[in-house]
PDB file of all heavy atoms in Angstrom:
ATOM      1  N   GLY A 849       4.487   5.544 -22.677  1.00 80.00           N
ATOM      2  CA  GLY A 849       3.652   6.686 -23.092  1.00 80.00           C
ATOM      3  C   GLY A 849       3.011   7.363 -21.896  1.00 80.00           C
ATOM      4  O   GLY A 849       2.773   6.730 -20.863  1.00 80.00           O
ATOM      5  N   THR A 857       2.354  16.209  -7.225  1.00 75.00           N
ATOM      6  CA  THR A 857       3.514  17.109  -7.311  1.00 75.00           C
ATOM      7  C   THR A 857       3.545  17.838  -8.652  1.00 75.00           C
ATOM      8  O   THR A 857       4.340  18.741  -8.855  1.00 75.00           O
ATOM      9  CB  THR A 857       4.801  16.280  -7.116  1.00 75.00           C
ATOM     10  OG1 THR A 857       4.647  15.490  -5.942  1.00 75.00           O
ATOM     11  CG2 THR A 857       6.032  17.133  -6.957  1.00 75.00           C
ATOM     12  N   GLN A 861       2.089  11.916 -15.627  1.00 81.00           N
ATOM     13  CA  GLN A 861       2.146  10.496 -15.280  1.00 81.00           C
ATOM     14  C   GLN A 861       2.252   9.610 -16.512  1.00 81.00           C
ATOM     15  O   GLN A 861       1.530   9.794 -17.488  1.00 81.00           O
ATOM     16  CB  GLN A 861       0.893  10.094 -14.470  1.00 81.00           C
ATOM     17  CG  GLN A 861       0.893  10.684 -13.061  1.00 81.00           C
ATOM     18  CD  GLN A 861      -0.366  10.332 -12.310  1.00 81.00           C
ATOM     19  OE1 GLN A 861      -1.475  10.564 -12.786  1.00 81.00           O
ATOM     20  NE2 GLN A 861      -0.190   9.750 -11.127  1.00 81.00           N
ATOM     21  N   VAL A 882      -1.075  -3.810   7.235  1.00 98.00           N
ATOM     22  CA  VAL A 882      -1.053  -2.465   6.649  1.00 98.00           C
ATOM     23  C   VAL A 882      -2.392  -1.775   6.913  1.00 98.00           C
ATOM     24  O   VAL A 882      -3.443  -2.226   6.444  1.00 98.00           O
ATOM     25  CB  VAL A 882      -0.769  -2.509   5.129  1.00 98.00           C
ATOM     26  CG1 VAL A 882      -0.894  -1.105   4.509  1.00 98.00           C
ATOM     27  CG2 VAL A 882       0.629  -3.064   4.869  1.00 98.00           C
ATOM     28  N   ALA A 884      -2.960   1.657   6.350  1.00 98.00           N
ATOM     29  CA  ALA A 884      -3.256   2.669   5.329  1.00 98.00           C
ATOM     30  C   ALA A 884      -2.044   2.845   4.429  1.00 98.00           C
ATOM     31  O   ALA A 884      -0.924   2.433   4.799  1.00 98.00           O
ATOM     32  CB  ALA A 884      -3.597   4.000   5.983  1.00 98.00           C
ATOM     33  N   ILE A 885      -2.261   3.426   3.268  1.00 98.00           N
ATOM     34  CA  ILE A 885      -1.156   3.714   2.351  1.00 98.00           C
ATOM     35  C   ILE A 885      -1.264   5.149   1.841  1.00 98.00           C
ATOM     36  O   ILE A 885      -2.370   5.719   1.770  1.00 98.00           O
ATOM     37  CB  ILE A 885      -1.133   2.748   1.142  1.00 98.00           C
ATOM     38  CG1 ILE A 885      -2.468   2.763   0.388  1.00 98.00           C
ATOM     39  CG2 ILE A 885      -0.744   1.348   1.575  1.00 98.00           C
ATOM     40  CD1 ILE A 885      -2.473   1.887  -0.859  1.00 98.00           C
ATOM     41  N   VAL A 904       2.025   2.679   5.091  1.00 98.00           N
ATOM     42  CA  VAL A 904       3.119   2.549   4.123  1.00 98.00           C
ATOM     43  C   VAL A 904       3.026   3.700   3.122  1.00 98.00           C
ATOM     44  O   VAL A 904       1.993   3.885   2.474  1.00 98.00           O
ATOM     45  CB  VAL A 904       3.073   1.201   3.378  1.00 98.00           C
ATOM     46  CG1 VAL A 904       4.239   1.096   2.385  1.00 98.00           C
ATOM     47  CG2 VAL A 904       3.117   0.034   4.374  1.00 98.00           C
ATOM     48  N   GLY A 926       8.334   3.503   2.648  1.00 98.00           N
ATOM     49  CA  GLY A 926       8.568   3.916   4.037  1.00 98.00           C
ATOM     50  C   GLY A 926       7.448   3.328   4.886  1.00 98.00           C
ATOM     51  O   GLY A 926       6.268   3.499   4.553  1.00 98.00           O
ATOM     52  N   TYR A 942      13.656  -0.706  -0.433  1.00 99.00           N
ATOM     53  CA  TYR A 942      13.640  -0.201  -1.812  1.00 99.00           C
ATOM     54  C   TYR A 942      14.009  -1.326  -2.760  1.00 99.00           C
ATOM     55  O   TYR A 942      14.748  -2.246  -2.389  1.00 99.00           O
ATOM     56  CB  TYR A 942      14.525   1.038  -2.005  1.00 99.00           C
ATOM     57  CG  TYR A 942      16.017   0.840  -1.892  1.00 99.00           C
ATOM     58  CD1 TYR A 942      16.770   0.419  -2.991  1.00 99.00           C
ATOM     59  CD2 TYR A 942      16.678   1.084  -0.700  1.00 99.00           C
ATOM     60  CE1 TYR A 942      18.137   0.253  -2.904  1.00 99.00           C
ATOM     61  CE2 TYR A 942      18.061   0.933  -0.599  1.00 99.00           C
ATOM     62  CZ  TYR A 942      18.786   0.517  -1.711  1.00 99.00           C
ATOM     63  OH  TYR A 942      20.157   0.349  -1.611  1.00 99.00           O
ATOM     64  N   THR A 953      16.200  -4.085   2.536  1.00 98.00           N
ATOM     65  CA  THR A 953      15.190  -3.894   3.593  1.00 98.00           C
ATOM     66  C   THR A 953      15.899  -3.505   4.893  1.00 98.00           C
ATOM     67  O   THR A 953      17.060  -3.867   5.108  1.00 98.00           O
ATOM     68  CB  THR A 953      14.399  -5.192   3.866  1.00 98.00           C
ATOM     69  OG1 THR A 953      15.321  -6.199   4.351  1.00 98.00           O
ATOM     70  CG2 THR A 953      13.710  -5.684   2.611  1.00 98.00           C
ATOM     71  N   ALA A 986      27.419  12.072  -6.301  1.00 98.00           N
ATOM     72  CA  ALA A 986      26.153  12.062  -7.049  1.00 98.00           C
ATOM     73  C   ALA A 986      25.472  13.396  -6.786  1.00 98.00           C
ATOM     74  O   ALA A 986      24.807  13.600  -5.766  1.00 98.00           O
ATOM     75  CB  ALA A 986      25.267  10.906  -6.591  1.00 98.00           C
ATOM     76  N   GLY A1016      20.220  10.353 -12.541  1.00 97.00           N
ATOM     77  CA  GLY A1016      18.885  10.966 -12.544  1.00 97.00           C
ATOM     78  C   GLY A1016      17.837  10.053 -11.948  1.00 97.00           C
ATOM     79  O   GLY A1016      16.659  10.404 -11.878  1.00 97.00           O
ATOM     80  N   TYR A1055      15.400   6.414   2.759  1.00 99.00           N
ATOM     81  CA  TYR A1055      16.848   6.294   2.533  1.00 99.00           C
ATOM     82  C   TYR A1055      17.662   6.795   3.720  1.00 99.00           C
ATOM     83  O   TYR A1055      18.758   6.304   3.992  1.00 99.00           O
ATOM     84  CB  TYR A1055      17.241   7.051   1.255  1.00 99.00           C
ATOM     85  CG  TYR A1055      17.151   6.167   0.045  1.00 99.00           C
ATOM     86  CD1 TYR A1055      16.071   6.260  -0.819  1.00 99.00           C
ATOM     87  CD2 TYR A1055      18.122   5.221  -0.204  1.00 99.00           C
ATOM     88  CE1 TYR A1055      15.961   5.424  -1.910  1.00 99.00           C
ATOM     89  CE2 TYR A1055      18.020   4.362  -1.298  1.00 99.00           C
ATOM     90  CZ  TYR A1055      16.940   4.473  -2.145  1.00 99.00           C
ATOM     91  OH  TYR A1055      16.831   3.626  -3.215  1.00 99.00           O
ATOM     92  N   CYS A1088      18.247  17.381   0.675  1.00 98.00           N
ATOM     93  CA  CYS A1088      18.734  16.179   1.373  1.00 98.00           C
ATOM     94  C   CYS A1088      20.134  15.808   0.909  1.00 98.00           C
ATOM     95  O   CYS A1088      20.493  15.971  -0.259  1.00 98.00           O
ATOM     96  CB  CYS A1088      17.790  15.003   1.154  1.00 98.00           C
ATOM     97  SG  CYS A1088      17.388  14.654  -0.563  1.00 98.00           S
ATOM     98  N   SER A1092      28.943   9.536   3.464  1.00 98.00           N
ATOM     99  CA  SER A1092      29.942   9.147   4.462  1.00 98.00           C
ATOM    100  C   SER A1092      30.264  10.317   5.380  1.00 98.00           C
ATOM    101  O   SER A1092      29.998  11.485   5.059  1.00 98.00           O
ATOM    102  CB  SER A1092      31.234   8.707   3.756  1.00 98.00           C
ATOM    103  OG  SER A1092      30.998   7.651   2.860  1.00 98.00           O
TER     104      SER A1092
END
Side-chain angles (χ1 to χ4, degrees):
T857 310
Q861 289 177 307
V882 174
I885 56 177
V904 181
Y942 68 85
T953 63
Y1055 271 102
C1088 52
S1092 303

